[in-house]
mmCIF file of all heavy atoms in Angstrom:
data_model
loop_
_atom_site.group_PDB
_atom_site.id
_atom_site.type_symbol
_atom_site.label_atom_id
_atom_site.label_comp_id
_atom_site.label_asym_id
_atom_site.label_seq_id
_atom_site.Cartn_x
_atom_site.Cartn_y
_atom_site.Cartn_z
ATOM 1 N N MET A 1 25.356 1.570 -2.176
ATOM 2 C CA MET A 1 25.748 0.298 -2.765
ATOM 3 C C MET A 1 25.703 0.460 -4.301
ATOM 4 O O MET A 1 24.777 0.981 -4.865
ATOM 5 C CB MET A 1 24.831 -0.768 -2.318
ATOM 6 C CG MET A 1 25.232 -2.149 -2.858
ATOM 7 S SD MET A 1 24.028 -3.384 -2.455
ATOM 8 C CE MET A 1 23.870 -3.221 -0.694
ATOM 9 N N GLY A 33 19.649 5.211 -6.006
ATOM 10 C CA GLY A 33 18.896 5.596 -4.781
ATOM 11 C C GLY A 33 19.497 4.963 -3.525
ATOM 12 O O GLY A 33 19.857 3.767 -3.467
ATOM 13 N N GLU A 34 19.621 5.801 -2.482
ATOM 14 C CA GLU A 34 20.060 5.272 -1.199
ATOM 15 C C GLU A 34 18.834 4.589 -0.618
ATOM 16 O O GLU A 34 17.760 5.193 -0.542
ATOM 17 C CB GLU A 34 20.499 6.436 -0.292
ATOM 18 C CG GLU A 34 21.670 7.147 -0.832
ATOM 19 C CD GLU A 34 23.015 6.371 -0.627
ATOM 20 O OE1 GLU A 34 23.135 5.701 0.340
ATOM 21 O OE2 GLU A 34 23.816 6.381 -1.646
ATOM 22 N N GLY A 35 19.009 3.420 -0.140
ATOM 23 C CA GLY A 35 17.945 2.730 0.503
ATOM 24 C C GLY A 35 16.789 2.432 -0.376
ATOM 25 O O GLY A 35 16.971 1.965 -1.530
ATOM 26 N N HIS A 36 15.550 2.781 -0.012
ATOM 27 C CA HIS A 36 14.365 2.379 -0.733
ATOM 28 C C HIS A 36 13.938 3.407 -1.807
ATOM 29 O O HIS A 36 13.865 4.631 -1.482
ATOM 30 C CB HIS A 36 13.200 2.134 0.232
ATOM 31 C CG HIS A 36 13.502 1.031 1.173
ATOM 32 N ND1 HIS A 36 13.848 1.241 2.498
ATOM 33 C CD2 HIS A 36 13.491 -0.282 1.052
ATOM 34 C CE1 HIS A 36 14.094 0.119 3.119
ATOM 35 N NE2 HIS A 36 13.849 -0.824 2.245
ATOM 36 N N GLU A 84 14.832 -1.991 -3.499
ATOM 37 C CA GLU A 84 16.180 -1.832 -3.134
ATOM 38 C C GLU A 84 17.013 -2.955 -3.649
ATOM 39 O O GLU A 84 16.519 -4.109 -3.847
ATOM 40 C CB GLU A 84 16.384 -1.704 -1.608
ATOM 41 C CG GLU A 84 16.193 -2.974 -0.919
ATOM 42 C CD GLU A 84 16.584 -3.004 0.577
ATOM 43 O OE1 GLU A 84 17.469 -2.190 0.919
ATOM 44 O OE2 GLU A 84 15.993 -3.774 1.336
ATOM 45 N N LEU A 85 18.296 -2.697 -3.890
ATOM 46 C CA LEU A 85 19.212 -3.711 -4.313
ATOM 47 C C LEU A 85 19.327 -4.826 -3.244
ATOM 48 O O LEU A 85 19.314 -4.547 -2.088
ATOM 49 C CB LEU A 85 20.618 -3.218 -4.495
ATOM 50 C CG LEU A 85 20.976 -2.557 -5.849
ATOM 51 C CD1 LEU A 85 22.509 -2.384 -5.913
ATOM 52 C CD2 LEU A 85 20.533 -3.468 -7.007
ATOM 53 N N VAL A 86 19.394 -6.105 -3.680
ATOM 54 C CA VAL A 86 19.560 -7.164 -2.746
ATOM 55 C C VAL A 86 21.070 -7.209 -2.386
ATOM 56 O O VAL A 86 21.897 -7.358 -3.199
ATOM 57 C CB VAL A 86 19.095 -8.506 -3.333
ATOM 58 C CG1 VAL A 86 19.496 -9.619 -2.356
ATOM 59 C CG2 VAL A 86 17.632 -8.510 -3.529
ATOM 60 N N GLY A 87 21.356 -7.018 -1.061
ATOM 61 C CA GLY A 87 22.748 -7.035 -0.663
ATOM 62 C C GLY A 87 23.108 -8.482 -0.314
ATOM 63 O O GLY A 87 22.390 -9.425 -0.553
ATOM 64 N N GLU A 88 24.278 -8.637 0.333
ATOM 65 C CA GLU A 88 24.787 -9.931 0.689
ATOM 66 C C GLU A 88 23.981 -10.545 1.845
ATOM 67 O O GLU A 88 23.576 -11.688 1.911
ATOM 68 C CB GLU A 88 26.266 -9.855 1.012
ATOM 69 C CG GLU A 88 27.071 -8.967 0.075
ATOM 70 C CD GLU A 88 26.803 -7.480 0.263
ATOM 71 O OE1 GLU A 88 26.791 -7.092 1.481
ATOM 72 O OE2 GLU A 88 26.686 -6.736 -0.696
ATOM 73 N N ARG A 89 23.836 -9.693 2.863
ATOM 74 C CA ARG A 89 23.295 -10.164 4.129
ATOM 75 C C ARG A 89 21.855 -9.660 4.346
ATOM 76 O O ARG A 89 21.585 -8.539 3.912
ATOM 77 C CB ARG A 89 24.119 -9.664 5.369
ATOM 78 C CG ARG A 89 25.600 -9.630 5.171
ATOM 79 C CD ARG A 89 26.290 -9.803 6.480
ATOM 80 N NE ARG A 89 27.253 -10.833 6.438
ATOM 81 C CZ ARG A 89 26.931 -12.144 6.568
ATOM 82 N NH1 ARG A 89 25.711 -12.529 6.784
ATOM 83 N NH2 ARG A 89 27.878 -13.042 6.426
ATOM 84 N N PRO A 90 21.018 -10.480 4.927
ATOM 85 C CA PRO A 90 19.656 -10.040 5.204
ATOM 86 C C PRO A 90 19.729 -8.879 6.226
ATOM 87 O O PRO A 90 20.574 -8.916 7.170
ATOM 88 C CB PRO A 90 18.994 -11.244 5.800
ATOM 89 C CG PRO A 90 20.065 -12.173 6.137
ATOM 90 C CD PRO A 90 21.213 -11.883 5.339
ATOM 91 N N HIS A 91 18.829 -7.939 6.111
ATOM 92 C CA HIS A 91 18.851 -6.823 7.055
ATOM 93 C C HIS A 91 17.474 -6.166 7.064
ATOM 94 O O HIS A 91 16.640 -6.550 6.306
ATOM 95 C CB HIS A 91 19.921 -5.757 6.595
ATOM 96 C CG HIS A 91 19.591 -5.205 5.260
ATOM 97 N ND1 HIS A 91 19.989 -5.746 4.082
ATOM 98 C CD2 HIS A 91 18.866 -4.054 4.886
ATOM 99 C CE1 HIS A 91 19.552 -5.057 3.111
ATOM 100 N NE2 HIS A 91 18.853 -4.044 3.555
ATOM 101 N N HIS A 92 17.287 -5.241 7.960
ATOM 102 C CA HIS A 92 16.035 -4.524 8.108
ATOM 103 C C HIS A 92 16.321 -3.053 8.104
ATOM 104 O O HIS A 92 17.429 -2.565 8.212
ATOM 105 C CB HIS A 92 15.306 -5.032 9.372
ATOM 106 C CG HIS A 92 15.233 -6.464 9.417
ATOM 107 N ND1 HIS A 92 14.151 -7.275 8.970
ATOM 108 C CD2 HIS A 92 16.138 -7.444 9.854
ATOM 109 C CE1 HIS A 92 14.378 -8.503 9.114
ATOM 110 N NE2 HIS A 92 15.557 -8.721 9.582
ATOM 111 N N HIS A 93 15.192 -2.282 8.067
ATOM 112 C CA HIS A 93 15.451 -0.893 8.041
ATOM 113 C C HIS A 93 14.664 -0.161 9.155
ATOM 114 O O HIS A 93 13.542 -0.497 9.433
ATOM 115 C CB HIS A 93 14.967 -0.297 6.695
ATOM 116 C CG HIS A 93 15.921 -0.611 5.622
ATOM 117 N ND1 HIS A 93 16.884 0.242 5.207
ATOM 118 C CD2 HIS A 93 16.030 -1.638 4.789
ATOM 119 C CE1 HIS A 93 17.637 -0.310 4.197
ATOM 120 N NE2 HIS A 93 17.166 -1.388 3.945
ATOM 121 N N LEU A 94 15.254 0.922 9.634
ATOM 122 C CA LEU A 94 14.562 1.856 10.488
ATOM 123 C C LEU A 94 14.374 3.164 9.693
ATOM 124 O O LEU A 94 15.436 3.691 9.189
ATOM 125 C CB LEU A 94 15.472 2.107 11.761
ATOM 126 C CG LEU A 94 15.898 0.870 12.590
ATOM 127 C CD1 LEU A 94 16.826 1.341 13.713
ATOM 128 C CD2 LEU A 94 14.629 0.184 13.115
ATOM 129 N N VAL A 95 13.205 3.615 9.579
ATOM 130 C CA VAL A 95 12.917 4.793 8.820
ATOM 131 C C VAL A 95 12.476 5.906 9.735
ATOM 132 O O VAL A 95 11.503 5.737 10.477
ATOM 133 C CB VAL A 95 11.824 4.556 7.711
ATOM 134 C CG1 VAL A 95 11.660 5.778 6.906
ATOM 135 C CG2 VAL A 95 12.159 3.320 6.931
ATOM 136 N N CYS A 96 13.229 7.001 9.793
ATOM 137 C CA CYS A 96 12.839 8.072 10.675
ATOM 138 C C CYS A 96 11.702 8.912 10.060
ATOM 139 O O CYS A 96 11.803 9.341 8.888
ATOM 140 C CB CYS A 96 14.055 9.039 10.934
ATOM 141 S SG CYS A 96 13.644 10.383 12.014
ATOM 142 N N ARG A 101 15.518 9.755 6.964
ATOM 143 C CA ARG A 101 16.702 8.922 6.846
ATOM 144 C C ARG A 101 16.408 7.466 7.083
ATOM 145 O O ARG A 101 15.493 7.143 7.842
ATOM 146 C CB ARG A 101 17.797 9.402 7.798
ATOM 147 C CG ARG A 101 19.001 9.966 6.969
ATOM 148 C CD ARG A 101 20.041 10.466 8.004
ATOM 149 N NE ARG A 101 19.401 11.458 8.899
ATOM 150 C CZ ARG A 101 20.170 12.411 9.522
ATOM 151 N NH1 ARG A 101 21.394 12.421 9.401
ATOM 152 N NH2 ARG A 101 19.526 13.213 10.342
ATOM 153 N N GLU A 102 17.156 6.612 6.440
ATOM 154 C CA GLU A 102 16.973 5.135 6.673
ATOM 155 C C GLU A 102 18.255 4.557 7.313
ATOM 156 O O GLU A 102 19.363 4.906 6.925
ATOM 157 C CB GLU A 102 16.694 4.454 5.385
ATOM 158 C CG GLU A 102 15.367 4.838 4.750
ATOM 159 C CD GLU A 102 15.065 4.100 3.442
ATOM 160 O OE1 GLU A 102 15.829 3.203 3.105
ATOM 161 O OE2 GLU A 102 14.104 4.442 2.877
ATOM 162 N N TYR A 103 18.002 3.713 8.254
ATOM 163 C CA TYR A 103 19.112 3.092 8.932
ATOM 164 C C TYR A 103 18.966 1.523 8.743
ATOM 165 O O TYR A 103 17.867 0.999 8.944
ATOM 166 C CB TYR A 103 19.061 3.422 10.462
ATOM 167 C CG TYR A 103 19.203 4.804 10.710
ATOM 168 C CD1 TYR A 103 18.078 5.689 10.731
ATOM 169 C CD2 TYR A 103 20.421 5.423 10.986
ATOM 170 C CE1 TYR A 103 18.172 7.015 10.952
ATOM 171 C CE2 TYR A 103 20.564 6.792 11.231
ATOM 172 C CZ TYR A 103 19.423 7.590 11.185
ATOM 173 O OH TYR A 103 19.452 8.940 11.449
ATOM 174 N N GLU A 104 20.090 0.954 8.421
ATOM 175 C CA GLU A 104 20.052 -0.520 8.200
ATOM 176 C C GLU A 104 20.423 -1.189 9.519
ATOM 177 O O GLU A 104 21.435 -0.792 10.235
ATOM 178 C CB GLU A 104 21.116 -0.911 7.242
ATOM 179 C CG GLU A 104 20.463 -1.406 5.919
ATOM 180 C CD GLU A 104 21.548 -1.901 4.918
ATOM 181 O OE1 GLU A 104 22.230 -2.906 5.248
ATOM 182 O OE2 GLU A 104 21.665 -1.277 3.861
ATOM 183 N N ILE A 105 19.722 -2.214 9.905
ATOM 184 C CA ILE A 105 20.084 -2.984 11.041
ATOM 185 C C ILE A 105 20.260 -4.437 10.597
ATOM 186 O O ILE A 105 19.539 -4.927 9.710
ATOM 187 C CB ILE A 105 19.151 -2.893 12.225
ATOM 188 C CG1 ILE A 105 17.725 -3.409 11.821
ATOM 189 C CG2 ILE A 105 19.050 -1.446 12.755
ATOM 190 C CD1 ILE A 105 16.803 -3.507 13.039
ATOM 191 N N PRO A 106 21.158 -5.112 11.177
ATOM 192 C CA PRO A 106 21.413 -6.544 10.882
ATOM 193 C C PRO A 106 20.253 -7.407 11.213
ATOM 194 O O PRO A 106 19.434 -7.061 12.016
ATOM 195 C CB PRO A 106 22.701 -6.952 11.599
ATOM 196 C CG PRO A 106 22.707 -6.000 12.753
ATOM 197 C CD PRO A 106 22.102 -4.750 12.287
ATOM 198 N N ASP A 107 20.171 -8.554 10.627
ATOM 199 C CA ASP A 107 19.097 -9.523 10.742
ATOM 200 C C ASP A 107 19.059 -10.158 12.142
ATOM 201 O O ASP A 107 17.964 -10.585 12.568
ATOM 202 C CB ASP A 107 19.139 -10.601 9.693
ATOM 203 C CG ASP A 107 17.914 -11.402 9.652
ATOM 204 O OD1 ASP A 107 16.843 -10.831 9.700
ATOM 205 O OD2 ASP A 107 18.004 -12.615 9.529
ATOM 206 N N VAL A 110 16.437 -9.339 14.979
ATOM 207 C CA VAL A 110 15.054 -9.675 14.490
ATOM 208 C C VAL A 110 14.920 -11.211 14.404
ATOM 209 O O VAL A 110 13.835 -11.666 14.744
ATOM 210 C CB VAL A 110 14.832 -9.036 13.062
ATOM 211 C CG1 VAL A 110 13.459 -9.308 12.561
ATOM 212 C CG2 VAL A 110 14.952 -7.467 13.198
ATOM 213 N N HIS A 129 11.974 -8.947 5.632
ATOM 214 C CA HIS A 129 12.427 -7.621 5.625
ATOM 215 C C HIS A 129 11.455 -6.672 6.332
ATOM 216 O O HIS A 129 10.293 -6.592 5.892
ATOM 217 C CB HIS A 129 12.686 -7.137 4.172
ATOM 218 C CG HIS A 129 13.294 -5.813 4.107
ATOM 219 N ND1 HIS A 129 12.597 -4.710 4.052
ATOM 220 C CD2 HIS A 129 14.619 -5.502 3.997
ATOM 221 C CE1 HIS A 129 13.435 -3.655 3.982
ATOM 222 N NE2 HIS A 129 14.672 -4.066 3.913
ATOM 223 N N LEU A 130 11.817 -6.111 7.390
ATOM 224 C CA LEU A 130 10.982 -5.192 8.124
ATOM 225 C C LEU A 130 11.373 -3.796 7.855
ATOM 226 O O LEU A 130 12.538 -3.422 7.765
ATOM 227 C CB LEU A 130 11.082 -5.431 9.628
ATOM 228 C CG LEU A 130 10.578 -6.764 10.153
ATOM 229 C CD1 LEU A 130 10.746 -6.735 11.676
ATOM 230 C CD2 LEU A 130 9.134 -6.986 9.749
ATOM 231 N N MET A 131 10.308 -2.936 7.792
ATOM 232 C CA MET A 131 10.641 -1.468 7.791
ATOM 233 C C MET A 131 9.896 -0.910 8.986
ATOM 234 O O MET A 131 8.632 -0.856 9.008
ATOM 235 C CB MET A 131 10.114 -0.865 6.487
ATOM 236 C CG MET A 131 10.971 -1.141 5.281
ATOM 237 S SD MET A 131 10.311 -0.485 3.765
ATOM 238 C CE MET A 131 10.428 1.320 4.084
ATOM 239 N N LEU A 132 10.623 -0.504 9.990
ATOM 240 C CA LEU A 132 10.017 0.005 11.176
ATOM 241 C C LEU A 132 10.164 1.520 11.187
ATOM 242 O O LEU A 132 11.243 2.109 10.883
ATOM 243 C CB LEU A 132 10.791 -0.535 12.436
ATOM 244 C CG LEU A 132 10.716 -2.059 12.537
ATOM 245 C CD1 LEU A 132 11.562 -2.536 13.694
ATOM 246 C CD2 LEU A 132 9.307 -2.573 12.782
ATOM 247 N N ILE B 117 16.396 -2.469 19.907
ATOM 248 C CA ILE B 117 16.741 -1.465 18.893
ATOM 249 C C ILE B 117 17.020 -0.122 19.498
ATOM 250 O O ILE B 117 17.906 0.607 19.131
ATOM 251 C CB ILE B 117 15.545 -1.396 17.872
ATOM 252 C CG1 ILE B 117 15.481 -2.635 17.000
ATOM 253 C CG2 ILE B 117 15.684 -0.157 17.009
ATOM 254 C CD1 ILE B 117 14.366 -2.761 16.099
ATOM 255 N N LEU B 120 20.510 -0.371 21.151
ATOM 256 C CA LEU B 120 21.617 -0.520 20.228
ATOM 257 C C LEU B 120 21.803 0.640 19.331
ATOM 258 O O LEU B 120 22.924 1.103 19.048
ATOM 259 C CB LEU B 120 21.449 -1.806 19.448
ATOM 260 C CG LEU B 120 21.689 -3.137 20.182
ATOM 261 C CD1 LEU B 120 21.170 -4.267 19.253
ATOM 262 C CD2 LEU B 120 23.157 -3.289 20.518
ATOM 263 N N TYR B 121 20.739 1.217 18.846
ATOM 264 C CA TYR B 121 20.861 2.211 17.779
ATOM 265 C C TYR B 121 20.192 3.587 18.164
ATOM 266 O O TYR B 121 20.246 4.493 17.459
ATOM 267 C CB TYR B 121 20.076 1.742 16.502
ATOM 268 C CG TYR B 121 20.492 0.378 16.115
ATOM 269 C CD1 TYR B 121 19.767 -0.776 16.394
ATOM 270 C CD2 TYR B 121 21.764 0.158 15.467
ATOM 271 C CE1 TYR B 121 20.099 -2.013 16.060
ATOM 272 C CE2 TYR B 121 22.158 -1.113 15.133
ATOM 273 C CZ TYR B 121 21.385 -2.237 15.420
ATOM 274 O OH TYR B 121 21.754 -3.488 15.124
ATOM 275 N N PHE B 123 17.307 4.345 18.410
ATOM 276 C CA PHE B 123 16.136 4.614 17.552
ATOM 277 C C PHE B 123 14.827 4.287 18.255
ATOM 278 O O PHE B 123 14.725 3.097 18.734
ATOM 279 C CB PHE B 123 16.277 3.823 16.179
ATOM 280 C CG PHE B 123 15.330 4.191 15.153
ATOM 281 C CD1 PHE B 123 15.708 5.091 14.173
ATOM 282 C CD2 PHE B 123 14.079 3.649 15.131
ATOM 283 C CE1 PHE B 123 14.814 5.456 13.175
ATOM 284 C CE2 PHE B 123 13.190 4.049 14.118
ATOM 285 C CZ PHE B 123 13.575 4.879 13.113
#
Side-chain angles (χ1 to χ4, degrees):
Chain A
M1 184 188 306
E34 297 287 320
H36 299 104
E84 70 169 333
L85 273 193
V86 171
E88 318 73 43
R89 321 208 127 277
H91 63 272
H92 308 267
H93 285 266
L94 306 174
V95 185
C96 181
R101 246 177 304 203
E102 294 183 4
Y103 301 85
E104 250 184 62
I105 60 172
D107 189 45
V110 178
H129 185 273
L130 293 182
M131 285 177 64
L132 300 173
Chain B
I117 289 173
L120 288 168
Y121 310 100
F123 191 96

